[in-house]
Amino acid sequence: MKKNKLYIAAALALLAIASCKPTLDEYTPSAGSLNFSKYVAIGNSLTAGYADGGLYLEGQKVAYPNLIAEQLKQVGGSEFKSPFFSEDQANGSGYITLTALVNGQPVTAQVTDKLAYRSASPKLLTRYTDPINNLGVPGMRMDMAFAAGVGSQAGNMYFERLLPDADAMKTYFAYSTTQNHTFFSFALGNNDALGRATNGGVEDGPTSTLTSTALFTSLLGNYVTTLTAGGQKGVLATIPDVTATPYFTTVTRAALLAAVNATNPPTPVTNIYIATKSGPRAATDQDYFVLPFSSTGLLGKPNAAQIPYGLHPLNPVEDKYVLDVSETATVVQRINEYNAAIKAAANSKGLALADVHEFLNNVKGGVRINGLAVSAKYITGNAFSLDGIHLTPIGNALMANIFISAINSKYGSKIPQVDVAKYRGVKLPDTVTK
């Protein structure tokens, strides 16, 4: 009897110890000291949910701010409104879709039905002027955010659709800082460098200029000071390294040489020649061919003098198709300077920092996240959509978690992470031909 009592006492003691151990079930979501009753997201195409070369309803729904907002509902967040296209116009601006894989090579097509244009010339999208929380505008830059007229019919069609005619001259800065927010995410500045990079380092207009670091820093300071004027908290995002995206890493010198030599030329081709600002030269592995070059059909095509395109220094690949090593260094340095300004701004105002730059550089080489393989590989890497710059639904879920982790770390909140397994990568075609 005494022995049985000892067993019972021991069992009760073990039960008491076990009941004290924390479990995953005991994780209680909490906002901490933060107020998420009016969360707004400021940014550009990534914020808006742009993907596959266009803005369309499916992409809008899985934009990372929308995924963040869904998690915030567990910690006091309210309804998060986005300027969604209607189901009848679900394909928005149009986008590209993967229709087949032939010998491992993607075949894409432009989606042209159920578009949301109210005018073909100038191109104007169906208006959405109701109050919204996702303020992301594809193509928006830090410098353009302070320029009047960007929201007019002569400006950015994505911003124009959000403004009534009477507000056509309102700046994006004025528009985005007067939303009576209690919390914000801020991811603006990518396009201040990306436009130059995607244009092969060539400046041919306002969207391909590199914003000076001094101007960027000044405008950023103005933005952050205004957004926090009422004591609001938020999270700033760093700018990704352009060389961490498939847009610049998919079309390689080796792949181009292999494609040319697969046609059995009279003599093996050993060099691809590119135009640079200091004259034509043979490309190296430190030069980045942009993704659209693969579909131009130009390589090897003879000119009037019968000199094959890209295979001779007298007919090199045009500068706009290559971000050469010197141009890359210029863009990367400018991005690093922007990011230093962003980090300083976050520190000065006590804001969270979502280091997107660091995360995507890690992804570039390939990582596993909760068992999911993620990399910067085109199509198969899961993170990037068909345009090679913007994100898949999986990529957006990962991005949302970067922001959530940064917020939790800075403010001591307990916002649950997004379940990445619920989302897809690139939508694969039914047709695969070997």
Side-chain angles (χ1 to χ4, degrees):
M1 187 70 174
K2 186 181 289 186
K3 189 179 290 186
N4 286 341
K5 287 182 178 179
L6 287 173
Y7 287 153
I8 292 170
L12 289 173
L14 288 171
L15 182 61
I17 292 170
S19 67
C20 292
K21 289 183 178 179
T23 67
L24 290 176
D25 293 335
E26 291 177 4
Y27 180 89
T28 303
S30 169
S33 61
L34 298 175
N35 180 356
F36 294 120
S37 60
K38 180 67 181 293
Y39 161 50
V40 298
I42 297 165
N44 44 46
S45 50
L46 290 173
T47 302
Y50 191 101
D52 301 315
L55 186 66
Y56 61 105
L57 183 58
E58 183 188 2
Q60 288 180 302
K61 287 182 175 180
V62 294
Y64 74 83
N66 294 61
L67 303 185
I68 293 172
E70 190 62 29
Q71 301 307 102
L72 293 183
K73 289 180 180 178
Q74 301 180 55
V75 293
S78 57
E79 184 180 6
F80 187 83
K81 296 180 179 179
S82 297
F84 289 150
F85 293 113
S86 68
E87 289 292 343
D88 289 342
Q89 298 184 328
N91 293 332
S93 66
Y95 61 98
I96 54 175
T97 184
L98 188 62
T99 59
L101 286 172
V102 179
N103 297 322
Q105 297 302 308
V107 178
T108 61
Q110 186 72 27
V111 173
T112 57
D113 66 327
K114 298 177 69 175
L115 301 184
Y117 290 101
R118 71 180 198 272
S119 169
S121 183
K123 275 193 170 183
L124 300 174
L125 292 164
T126 301
R127 277 246 169 82
Y128 192 107
T129 56
D130 291 343
I132 55 175
N133 299 70
N134 189 332
L135 310 175
V137 171
M140 187 55 64
R141 295 164 51 107
M142 185 73 77
D143 56 357
M144 289 185 177
F146 290 81
V150 175
S152 70
Q153 292 189 5
N156 180 312
M157 69 175 180
Y158 299 102
F159 187 31
E160 190 271 346
R161 77 178 288 251
L162 303 179
L163 300 176
D165 287 333
D167 289 341
M169 299 306 289
K170 178 178 284 189
T171 66
Y172 181 71
F173 168 76
Y175 173 76
S176 59
T177 56
T178 53
Q179 299 291 330
N180 297 317
H181 63 282
T182 62
F183 189 85
F184 67 91
S185 61
F186 185 91
L188 200 59
N190 294 32
N191 291 323
D192 292 71
L194 183 63
R196 172 72 70 88
T198 55
N199 208 40
V202 177
E203 182 179 335
D204 61 4
T207 61
S208 57
T209 60
L210 277 175
T211 303
S212 74
T213 303
L215 178 60
F216 184 95
T217 303
S218 174
L219 297 179
L220 173 66
N222 193 352
Y223 235 127
V224 173
T225 297
T226 304
L227 288 169
T228 58
Q232 300 97 324
K233 297 299 183 182
V235 54
L236 307 186
T238 56
I239 297 170
D241 179 353
V242 295
T243 67
T245 66
Y247 191 92
F248 296 98
T249 60
T250 300
V251 183
T252 63
R253 183 182 71 94
L256 293 174
L257 286 172
V260 171
N261 285 309
T263 64
N264 297 314
T267 58
V269 175
T270 57
N271 284 310
I272 304 293
Y273 291 91
I274 61 173
T276 74
K277 293 175 177 60
S278 57
R281 63 167 173 80
T284 72
D285 290 336
Q286 284 70 52
D287 301 310
Y288 293 94
F289 292 86
V290 298
L291 184 61
F293 181 63
S294 62
S295 59
T296 62
L298 290 172
L299 189 62
K301 187 176 182 179
N303 61 12
Q306 296 303 301
I307 301 173
Y309 186 92
L311 306 184
H312 193 284
L314 293 180
N315 191 13
V317 175
E318 297 158 85
D319 195 1
K320 66 181 180 179
Y321 292 124
V322 187
L323 189 68
D324 68 43
V325 63
S326 176
E327 294 164 336
T328 300
T330 298
V331 171
V332 168
Q333 179 181 340
R334 190 61 54 88
I335 289 173
N336 289 339
E337 291 168 356
Y338 293 166
N339 282 337
I342 291 168
K343 291 176 182 179
N347 287 334
S348 70
K349 295 295 184 180
L351 302 174
L353 181 76
D355 202 340
V356 176
H357 183 278
E358 180 182 55
F359 176 75
L360 290 183
N361 271 345
N362 290 336
V363 166
K364 182 178 179 180
V367 295
R368 295 193 74 85
I369 300 173
N370 295 333
L372 176 69
V374 180
S375 74
K377 287 184 179 179
Y378 188 53
I379 297 178
T380 60
N382 282 319
F384 291 93
S385 72
L386 291 172
D387 60 32
I389 291 287
H390 300 93
L391 302 174
T392 61
I394 284 176
N396 273 293
L398 293 171
M399 186 71 73
N401 284 341
I402 297 169
F403 279 78
I404 289 171
S405 293
I407 296 167
N408 287 343
S409 176
K410 180 66 179 179
Y411 299 116
S413 51
K414 293 182 179 179
I415 306 164
Q417 294 268 299
V418 175
D419 183 358
V420 179
K422 292 181 178 179
Y423 300 93
R424 67 166 178 84
V426 169
K427 191 180 294 183
L428 296 177
D430 296 327
T431 304
V432 178
T433 305
K434 294 183 179 180

